[in-house]
Amino acid sequence: MNAIGMFDSGVGGLSVLNEARRLLPGSNMIYIADQGYGPYGDRTLEDVRGRADRVTRALLEEGAAMVVIACHTASAAALHYLRRRHPLLPIVGIEPAVKPAAERTETRTVGVLATTATFQGELFSSVVSRFAANTRVIARPCPGLADLVESGADESVVEQALLDHLRPFRERGVDQIVLGCTHYSFLGGLIARLSGVDVVDPAPAVATQVARVATANGFMGDGGAGELKVLTTGDTARLQARVATLLDYAVTIESINL
Ligand code: DGL
């Protein structure tokens, strides 16, 4: 089947899937939302690594020939581990987009919104030391924020949570905000409006990298429209209702037990 497998703790990775489907309309894709075990952001990195390992094996069993970790937290916990474990499998992960933010900032101050676990992983400290040596990087963990996206909470509730998270950025002159969790991509417009500064959403760049790797490996499909399979370890009816507002096309959600 040579499908592109993707996973996240829930709906966040659909932001990457949407962009990837635009770039690769003929590719078959399989997406697993690990909602039975999400959110990942408040778990230990070891715990998340275990889930990433299990979900990756499931994607391979379903017919994936490459894997996209469409989640910063799971990338922080398991990107290097999964590459060691599957040396021949093309794997695309996500690191916080500190590099473009550090290149664009005029106040030399960037803010990063992410889960607690993402900030504990090595990927974050590594991007900061590689790309932001002369930049102040303000890390703001946002426990509970991904869950608001997951559940489709009212905009007023999300707005209140965001105002709390954005206050320290405003006080310290942040002019670039990095979305360090794929769930937050769905809040990009709101964050830009509330903060009044540039927001860096990694989803398009990650999808471009997915397209590059898929093309290099010949996973563009056979000329027809690519098939999409979406599975969840959680409640199918709940995800079915949620994807109607987050995806550009209809899809039937299936259940998977992991
Ligand atoms: N979407 C995920 C990320 O990019 C994680 C959200 C969560 O499960 O806490 O980090």
Side-chain angles (χ1 to χ4, degrees):
M1 187 192 182
N2 274 352
I4 300 171
M6 278 192 202
F7 74 95
D8 178 37
S9 63
V11 299
L14 297 176
S15 57
V16 176
L17 180 79
N18 271 336
E19 298 283 342
R21 293 264 294 171
R22 253 192 289 281
L23 297 177
L24 298 164
S27 297
N28 296 319
M29 298 191 189
I30 306 165
Y31 183 93
I32 295 183
D34 194 17
Q35 293 174 303
Y37 295 84
Y40 285 167
D42 301 324
R43 290 181 178 271
T44 63
L45 291 171
E46 196 184 4
D47 212 358
V48 177
R49 191 174 309 126
R51 288 311 297 168
D53 191 25
R54 186 71 199 87
V55 175
T56 296
R57 277 188 282 133
L59 285 169
L60 298 179
E61 284 157 18
E62 290 287 331
M66 74 177 263
V67 166
V68 181
I69 309 175
C71 172
H72 289 76
T73 310
S75 297
L79 176 59
H80 297 316
Y81 167 83
L82 289 174
R83 283 191 172 144
R84 272 197 308 276
R85 201 168 153 79
H86 304 276
L88 300 179
L89 177 69
I91 300 178
V92 175
I94 314 187
E95 54 183 27
V98 168
K99 183 175 185 234
E103 283 165 359
R104 290 175 208 155
T105 178
E106 288 174 5
T107 59
R108 307 290 342 134
T109 313
V110 309
V112 184
L113 301 170
T115 66
T116 307
T118 291
F119 287 126
Q120 286 162 356
E122 276 166 35
L123 273 187
F124 178 66
S125 42
S126 136
V127 289
V128 171
S129 58
R130 274 182 293 146
F131 305 120
N134 301 317
T135 304
R136 209 151 52 126
V137 178
I138 302 172
R140 176 76 187 185
C142 309
L145 188 57
D147 248 357
L148 296 182
V149 176
E150 198 62 40
S151 62
D154 276 355
E155 186 161 306
S156 59
V157 176
V158 179
E159 201 169 305
Q160 198 45 56
L162 283 175
L163 286 171
D164 284 347
H165 293 306
L166 296 174
R167 193 167 308 117
F169 290 174
R170 185 168 314 118
E171 287 165 2
R172 298 173 74 181
V174 162
D175 68 349
Q176 299 285 325
I177 295 177
V178 177
L179 305 182
C181 166
T182 50
H183 281 74
Y184 309 164
S185 291
F186 292 110
L187 305 176
L190 183 58
I191 293 172
R193 179 165 67 73
L194 294 175
S195 65
V197 303
D198 288 346
V199 169
V200 184
D201 174 7
V206 176
T208 300
Q209 177 62 6
V210 171
R212 206 175 289 136
V213 174
T215 305
N217 286 280
F219 303 151
M220 296 89 71
D222 52 14
E227 283 174 30
L228 172 64
K229 190 169 183 180
V230 180
L231 305 130
T232 178
T233 56
D235 182 342
T236 49
R238 183 170 165 236
L239 181 56
Q240 190 74 60
R242 195 69 190 103
V243 295
T245 60
L246 300 177
L247 281 186
D248 308 338
Y249 31 84
V251 62
T252 303
I253 310 297
E254 296 172 43
S255 174
I256 187 166
N257 216 337
L258 300 175

